Amino acid sequence: MAQESPKNSAAEIPVTSNGEVDDSREHGFNRDLKRSLPAGLGLSETQITSHGFDSTKEGVIEAGAFQGSPAPPLPSVMSPSRVAASRPAQQGSDLIVPAGGQRTQTKSGPVILADEIKNPAMEKLELVRKWSLNTYKCTRQIISEKLGRGSRTVDLELEAQIDILRDNKKKYENILRLAQTLSTQLFQMVHTQRQLGDAFADLSLKSLELHEEFGYNADTQKLLAKNGETLLGAINFFIASVNTLVNKTIEDTLMTVKQYESARIEYDAYRTDLEELNLGPRDANTLPKIEQSQHLFQAHKEKYDKMRNDVSIKLKFLEENKVKVLHNQLVLFHNAIAAYFAGNQKQLEQTLKQFHIKLKTPGVDAPSWLEEQ
């Protein structure tokens, strides 16, 4: 008993705190041994004993046929750093990005599809195609109306107002042209009267025997020139106001009328196209064309209704503005002409003050920007 046998010393098995056998060392040894064995060695015929056991049943590792380098077993508990490092790898393995830039899902995760790149040339080509088709339909509608074959949508009340507006515009343009002619002639007359008054004043100083006679005529011509300049200021103010009314206010309304007429032509063109399709056969080929034509017809109908409403509103406001502007300008023109030819200088000046008209003094330049400040 004093000397222990080798068997007893080799057979010592460590025991954990709860009484179970601690075989972690044995498993680690076996795992390291499997890694170190060469690939060509068959483990099915090999028996390995450890710690000098006599029995071949204890401490023996039996292995089947070798199938390649086995992957090391993962531990049951992973550290936080290894778990965190494995997440991006797993997420990245789910998506494969091809050369075209489109992502495809292979295992799991969201699918992200890239937007198709629009070709500007194709967009322009599509716009040109639509414009050409619309122009063709509108041109066909206009030719049909002129030849008396096509039908036309007519708003009798609105068309009558538009005709009156165009007729009035021609008459106002004639009045404007005549007023401009009168202003040019009056300016020439005033300029002549001023020169004549200066000549009479010069002769009044040089001719002692006719001093009074030349002096009277000089004063008369200068007074007429002064009154003519006042009348000229009133006429030019009348011309400017009527010109604004005719060439800006009325012209803006007529531009809206042109847009309304274009919308009416498009509306009739697509209406005629839809009517022709409805008269034809209805089958699988024509039904999509009828639906598309119905959609285009409805869109142009809404545009036509909107433009008709805009024209009606503008005509109403134009009539109110025209009456107000022309009333003031006609009163100014009448009072200024009557006062001038009656020789009533005070009434003529009062007329200009009434309409806040300021006359420029002859021979005086416009004030500089420093004086205006």
Side-chain angles (χ1 to χ4, degrees):
M1 297 297 294
Q3 185 178 2
E4 295 182 357
S5 63
K7 181 178 180 180
N8 294 334
S9 61
E12 291 181 359
I13 300 174
V15 180
T16 58
S17 59
N18 56 0
E20 296 178 358
V21 178
D22 186 6
D23 55 354
S24 59
R25 295 182 180 180
E26 184 177 355
H27 285 299
F29 173 78
N30 295 335
R31 183 171 63 250
D32 296 338
L33 183 60
K34 287 181 180 181
R35 292 181 180 177
S36 61
L37 288 177
L41 181 61
L43 297 181
S44 59
E45 300 176 358
T46 305
Q47 293 183 348
I48 301 173
T49 60
S50 60
H51 302 289
F53 275 97
D54 294 337
S55 175
T56 60
K57 295 181 179 180
E58 295 182 3
V60 177
I61 299 174
E62 296 182 0
F66 183 76
Q67 301 295 335
S69 353
L74 294 176
S76 59
V77 179
M78 297 180 66
S79 62
S81 60
R82 296 179 65 183
V83 174
S86 64
R87 288 178 181 173
Q90 293 176 0
Q91 294 176 359
S93 63
D94 291 343
L95 297 177
I96 299 176
V97 182
Q102 223 175 8
R103 296 183 175 182
T104 308
Q105 184 179 9
T106 57
K107 294 183 180 180
S108 63
V111 180
I112 303 175
L113 298 178
D115 295 335
E116 295 182 359
I117 301 176
K118 297 181 179 179
N119 191 353
M122 295 301 296
E123 292 181 356
K124 292 182 179 179
L125 184 62
E126 182 66 18
L127 291 176
V128 171
R129 188 188 69 81
K130 291 182 179 179
W131 175 83
S132 302
L133 182 61
N134 185 72
T135 303
Y136 165 73
K137 291 180 180 294
C138 293
T139 305
R140 184 183 63 176
Q141 178 65 25
I142 293 173
I143 295 175
S144 299
E145 291 179 1
K146 289 185 177 181
L147 296 177
R149 298 177 182 176
S151 59
R152 175 184 176 185
T153 303
V154 179
D155 189 334
L156 297 178
E157 182 180 358
L158 190 60
E159 293 289 340
Q161 294 178 2
I162 293 174
D163 292 339
I164 292 174
L165 176 62
R166 286 173 173 164
D167 185 60
N168 287 337
K169 183 175 183 290
K170 292 180 181 179
K171 294 178 179 179
Y172 295 155
E173 287 176 344
N174 185 39
I175 291 175
L176 184 61
R177 184 167 54 253
L178 294 175
Q180 290 172 346
T181 303
L182 178 61
S183 175
T184 303
Q185 294 173 352
L186 181 60
F187 174 79
Q188 294 176 355
M189 186 181 71
V190 169
H191 181 67
T192 303
Q193 287 175 341
R194 189 183 300 112
Q195 290 180 341
L196 187 58
D198 294 339
F200 282 145
D202 183 60
L203 289 174
S204 174
L205 296 175
K206 295 180 180 180
S207 302
L208 299 178
E209 63 279 5
L210 298 173
H211 173 71
E212 294 181 0
E213 288 79 358
F214 280 123
Y216 293 152
N217 283 278
D219 294 339
T220 302
Q221 294 299 322
K222 290 180 179 180
L223 180 60
L224 290 174
K226 182 180 179 180
N227 292 340
E229 291 173 355
T230 306
L231 177 62
L232 188 62
I235 294 176
N236 289 336
F237 185 78
F238 172 82
I239 292 173
S241 299
V242 175
N243 181 63
T244 301
L245 176 65
V246 173
N247 294 323
K248 291 185 178 180
T249 308
I250 296 180
E251 187 64 28
D252 179 69
T253 305
L254 290 177
M255 287 296 297
T256 307
V257 170
K258 291 181 181 178
Q259 295 175 1
Y260 157 74
E261 292 177 347
S262 299
R264 197 273 308 163
I265 293 174
E266 291 179 354
Y267 166 71
D268 285 338
Y270 284 92
R271 176 182 56 80
T272 304
D273 192 17
L274 180 61
E275 291 175 355
E276 292 177 355
L277 289 175
N278 287 329
L279 293 176
R282 291 177 175 268
D283 51 17
N285 295 328
T286 58
L287 283 178
K289 295 181 180 179
I290 294 176
E291 292 179 358
Q292 183 181 6
S293 180
Q294 179 69 31
H295 176 71
L296 294 174
F297 166 75
Q298 188 65 30
H300 285 86
K301 183 178 183 300
E302 293 176 358
K303 180 181 178 181
Y304 167 72
D305 293 337
K306 180 180 178 299
M307 292 306 304
R308 180 175 59 182
N309 187 39
D310 292 346
V311 170
S312 300
I313 294 174
K314 282 201 171 186
L315 286 175
K316 180 180 178 180
F317 285 127
L318 175 62
E319 187 66 21
E320 297 175 357
N321 188 28
K322 180 190 71 173
V323 171
K324 182 179 178 180
V325 170
L326 287 181
H327 171 75
N328 295 333
Q329 296 304 317
L330 291 174
V331 170
L332 165 67
F333 192 83
H334 171 266
N335 293 342
I337 293 290
Y340 173 79
F341 285 100
N344 193 342
Q345 183 180 359
K346 292 182 179 180
Q347 183 180 357
L348 184 59
E349 294 176 355
Q350 186 65 29
T351 301
L352 267 66
K353 291 180 180 179
Q354 179 182 356
F355 292 92
H356 307 285
I357 301 174
K358 295 182 179 180
L359 298 178
K360 294 181 180 180
T361 304
V364 178
D365 297 334
S368 63
W369 65 271
L370 186 59
E371 293 175 348
E372 291 178 354
Q373 296 295 329

